[in-house]
Amino acid sequence: MEIAMTNLTITPIKPTIGAVIGGVDLNNLTEETLAKIKQALLDHQVIFFRDQDLQTEAQVKLARSFGSLHIHPVFPTVPNIPEVIVLDSHATDLRDNELWHTDVTFSKTPPLGCVLRAVKIPPSGGDTLWASGTAAFEALDDDIKQKIQGLTAIHDIRLSFPEERFGGVSDEEKARLEEIYRKNPTVPHPVVRTHPDTGKPILFVSEGFTSHIEGLSEDESRALLDFLTEYAVKEEFYLRWQWREGDVAIWDNRCTQHKAMFDYGDAHRIMHRATVNGDAPYYASNAA
């Protein structure tokens, strides 16, 4: 089904997640078009734009229209534009991106969302998968829903940025990583969070950052967390996007998780990401 709105078109990818938006130049957005893009993001959780020539300044402007921008503690950035991180497979160890994760949940206020631009794409491989935490929670058995609502999980930056891969070799590099750890201690988040705009409940745990569930024994926590993280990324809840250079993706980080496939060997992959600050996750028992 394709929904036409003036020149803008929205083509859903799956009932649970994703849509492709056409008829848009992201370098030149009217307030009306931007409002439709924001609504499409709420409706579809991750949206894609083909054949864009999005300039870095326009990427920052687009991301900033959703809120203030995040400065990542680990990844390098575009020179003189610290709001845009550079994910360059020839410059940075990107294996952590092949873990399912919701970005920066090691923060007390994880990002609202991200604007990602494909700068250089390998000849094959390098796809990204996004999964809907909204659809995953909705499909859970009622007894599991009752068990996990109100539980709290701990999120830890070290799971995706371990010392053995990001500590470098020099004392200076190791000290820098230790300072990053010090500034980003473990944080608690609800296992089920409520979307602040839609009111829908979301399964909010991931392999990449969730270490354990509070209030349970170590074995029970591990068993439940393993079940939830595996369940959350079942095929019916996720889509797979095959990139072309110039593509742009915007995703709602509050209700999705994703992973970037590291299956392209020594081929070169470069992505630029602007990340929008979010608020503290919460659970409302009367959520929709």
Side-chain angles (χ1 to χ4, degrees):
M1 178 180 67
E2 189 169 278
I3 307 166
M5 300 182 191
T6 61
N7 293 326
L8 182 148
T9 61
I10 302 175
T11 306
I13 297 173
K14 296 181 74 169
T16 50
I17 186 172
V20 180
I21 297 185
V24 171
D25 177 2
L26 292 177
N27 289 297
N28 298 286
L29 292 174
T30 65
E31 288 300 319
E32 179 185 8
T33 300
L34 184 58
K36 292 173 181 176
I37 288 172
K38 290 181 177 180
Q39 186 58 53
L41 183 62
L42 290 178
D43 292 341
H44 300 285
Q45 303 172 63
V46 56
I47 52 178
F48 302 94
F49 305 80
R50 291 284 197 192
D51 303 318
Q52 298 290 318
D53 184 25
L54 184 63
Q55 301 301 302
T56 302
E57 294 80 4
Q59 182 179 7
V60 170
K61 182 179 179 181
L62 172 58
R64 193 169 279 138
S65 73
F66 290 87
S68 63
L69 300 189
H70 175 262
I71 307 299
H72 200 279
V74 178
F75 288 125
T77 64
V78 172
N80 302 315
I81 307 178
E83 299 89 350
V84 178
I85 67 171
V86 178
L87 302 169
D88 184 334
S89 65
H90 283 186
T92 305
D93 186 342
L94 297 178
R95 284 174 294 167
D96 66 288
N97 287 319
E98 201 172 25
L99 287 173
W100 281 103
H101 64 285
T102 298
D103 283 330
V104 198
T105 60
F106 56 81
S107 165
K108 291 181 180 179
T109 54
L112 177 154
C114 299
V115 179
L116 185 67
R117 176 165 64 104
V119 177
K120 187 176 182 63
I121 298 300
S124 62
D127 297 353
T128 303
L129 287 69
W130 277 269
S132 169
T134 308
F137 178 82
E138 186 175 320
L140 279 169
D141 291 339
D142 287 343
D143 58 337
I144 299 294
K145 288 181 181 178
Q146 291 298 321
K147 179 180 178 65
I148 65 176
Q149 291 178 84
L151 291 179
T152 298
I154 299 301
H155 294 241
D156 190 344
I157 190 174
R158 296 171 187 256
L159 293 185
S160 282
F161 298 98
E163 183 176 359
E164 58 267 25
R165 283 173 43 217
F166 289 89
V169 294
S170 69
D171 289 342
E172 182 180 352
E173 289 170 321
K174 294 180 186 301
R176 176 179 175 273
L177 185 63
E178 284 301 320
E179 180 65 8
I180 290 171
Y181 290 160
R182 187 187 68 79
K183 290 182 176 179
N184 294 275
T186 59
V187 295
H189 293 309
V191 171
V192 181
R193 72 173 293 182
T194 300
H195 196 289
D197 293 325
T198 68
K200 293 181 178 180
I202 301 155
L203 184 57
F204 195 64
V205 294
S206 73
E207 177 188 12
F209 289 118
T210 312
S211 62
H212 63 280
I213 298 173
E214 291 188 311
L216 303 179
S217 70
E218 183 176 349
D219 288 346
E220 188 179 9
S221 168
R222 187 74 267 154
L224 180 57
L225 193 54
D226 285 349
F227 166 76
L228 292 174
T229 53
E230 182 177 349
Y231 179 87
V233 296
K234 290 174 66 175
E235 186 174 0
E236 56 262 43
F237 306 140
Y238 76 75
L239 62 80
R240 183 172 187 138
W241 185 255
Q242 187 171 11
W243 293 97
R244 300 199 301 246
E245 287 185 15
D247 284 358
V248 174
I250 305 175
W251 68 90
D252 189 330
N253 196 63
R254 300 165 295 188
C255 58
T256 62
Q257 56 179 300
H258 59 278
K259 71 172 180 177
M261 301 304 296
F262 194 75
D263 56 358
Y264 43 92
D266 293 330
H268 202 184
R269 185 180 189 268
I270 304 175
M271 314 293 281
H272 285 183
R273 190 183 90 197
T275 304
V276 184
N277 285 318
D279 53 10
Y282 65 91
Y283 170 66
S285 59
N286 61 347

